[in-house]
Amino acid sequence: MGEPPDNDLPTSEGIPADSVRSTDIRPPKEKVRDFPDTPGVYLMKDERGRVLYIGKAKSLRHRAASYFADAALQDRRIADMIPLIADIDYLDAESEVDALLLEARLIKDIQPRFNIDLKDDKSFPYLQIITNEEFPRVEFTRAPAGKGVKLYGPFANAGALRGAIQVLQRVFKFRTCSLDIQAEDPKWRYYRPCLLYNIHQCTAPCNLRISEEDYKEDIKRLRLFLDGKRQKLLKEMNEEMKQAAQQLQFEKAAKLRDEIQALEKL
């Protein structure tokens, strides 16, 4: 079958190849000891610099080091890969969610030999925001729409994506239903919200309990977070909270305070 193609990191999408090239010539087992105890993506490479495997981590140091422990060799795939690893590098991420998104994108672009997922475009799971609706919905999909959507992914693990959507929904309270909600249609004022409203994971646009403008502001914040602009988002929300308090809009200020606290813990 011949030599596999050189799968050095691409320079597209804002990630220059030299951002993960290292001049550190120490063995990988020693290099990982100096990795940060923060979220990110690690890249295992062979002696020619080709990426063998890409993984995400809550703690880069602990996760990457685990591959070189004796217990890891019990996994046949890892045991086959370890002798081929000549170098290891990493990319920082601001959060676990950012690391998940980055891992999925890099795996799709590079197609490393030892990443067994994300090989078939037809089965990739995505997070999809339907942007051409009055109250945009957020959903898990394996068949992305061609237009009118903002797409994030693909993801390596469908279960992890579903879990991420649930966590994000606690903060941004977006809808995941398939209802065709129109703000000017009075019938929605009589619609009974689902359980997600009662457990404070949705603002119930289906019952018009939130305005179209306020709902889209929540979606805007979600997109900023998913685009990796967490600090910018927190700054904007803090400023908006202070402004609401100054204008005696205490309910709005309290809502923003709770969202900021949830984001800081996410």
Side-chain angles (χ1 to χ4, degrees):
M1 296 179 63
E3 282 289 316
D6 192 333
N7 57 1
D8 283 344
L9 280 174
T11 57
S12 62
E13 305 211 33
I15 302 178
D18 57 6
S19 67
V20 289
R21 295 187 188 281
S22 174
T23 57
D24 191 338
I25 61 173
R26 288 179 298 165
K29 188 175 182 179
E30 293 183 16
K31 284 185 66 175
V32 296
R33 296 172 186 169
D34 294 331
F35 277 21
D37 186 22
T38 54
V41 173
Y42 54 92
L43 305 99
M44 310 284 199
K45 297 191 281 190
D46 65 14
E47 60 184 5
R48 294 178 56 186
R50 296 175 299 185
V51 179
L52 297 169
Y53 182 78
I54 297 171
K56 64 183 181 301
K58 178 180 180 180
S59 167
L60 284 164
R61 183 190 309 155
H62 294 155
R63 182 68 183 116
S66 70
Y67 284 86
F68 302 99
D70 292 340
L73 298 177
Q74 296 178 12
D75 185 316
R76 178 60 184 273
R77 185 165 59 100
I78 294 177
D80 290 342
M81 180 176 67
I82 291 298
L84 303 176
I85 299 174
D87 194 13
I88 181 170
D89 283 307
Y90 68 88
L91 287 168
D92 288 311
E94 190 171 308
S95 68
E96 290 180 72
V97 176
D98 290 326
L100 183 65
L101 290 167
L102 180 58
E103 177 205 38
R105 193 178 77 194
L106 290 176
I107 291 174
K108 179 179 181 295
D109 288 345
I110 301 171
Q111 296 285 301
R113 171 181 171 185
F114 285 92
N115 284 99
I116 59 176
D117 295 314
L118 290 179
K119 298 298 184 183
D120 181 3
D121 281 340
K122 296 179 181 178
S123 62
F124 288 169
Y126 292 84
L127 185 156
Q128 178 172 265
I129 302 175
I130 312 296
T131 57
N132 59 0
E133 295 178 332
E134 292 185 28
F135 295 92
R137 83 185 99 124
V138 179
E139 60 186 12
F140 172 104
T141 183
R142 292 183 183 274
K147 58 182 179 178
V149 300
K150 175 64 176 178
L151 211 58
Y152 294 92
F155 289 84
N157 186 305
L161 173 56
R162 293 184 190 277
I165 290 175
Q166 290 179 359
V167 171
L168 292 168
Q169 193 175 28
R170 295 189 198 117
V171 179
F172 300 102
K173 297 177 174 54
F174 48 78
R175 73 183 185 101
T176 53
C177 63
S178 58
L179 297 173
D180 182 16
I181 304 171
Q182 298 177 8
E184 299 301 320
D185 190 338
K187 75 176 182 181
W188 293 108
R189 296 193 179 278
Y190 306 100
Y191 193 85
R192 184 176 179 180
C194 71
L195 180 62
L196 289 176
Y197 172 73
N198 295 317
I199 62 175
H200 308 294
Q201 285 190 219
C202 180
T203 48
C206 60
N207 190 229
L208 303 183
R209 299 198 182 193
I210 184 173
S211 68
E212 181 180 350
E213 180 182 359
D214 288 343
Y215 182 87
K216 286 185 175 178
E217 184 64 26
D218 288 337
I219 293 296
K220 174 188 171 184
R221 291 174 183 145
L222 170 66
R223 291 178 60 172
L224 277 173
F225 183 82
L226 291 175
D227 288 335
K229 300 177 181 177
R230 179 179 176 179
Q231 293 306 317
K232 177 182 178 181
L233 172 60
L234 288 170
K235 181 180 179 181
E236 289 182 359
M237 292 175 70
N238 271 292
E239 292 174 352
E240 188 176 349
M241 179 183 66
K242 292 175 183 177
Q243 186 177 24
Q246 290 172 355
Q247 296 174 353
L248 305 183
Q249 298 175 339
F250 299 120
E251 184 176 347
K252 180 179 180 180
K255 176 178 178 290
L256 284 163
R257 177 204 61 204
D258 293 342
E259 290 178 354
I260 290 169
Q261 291 175 349
L263 270 176
E264 290 174 338
K265 295 177 182 178
L266 190 60

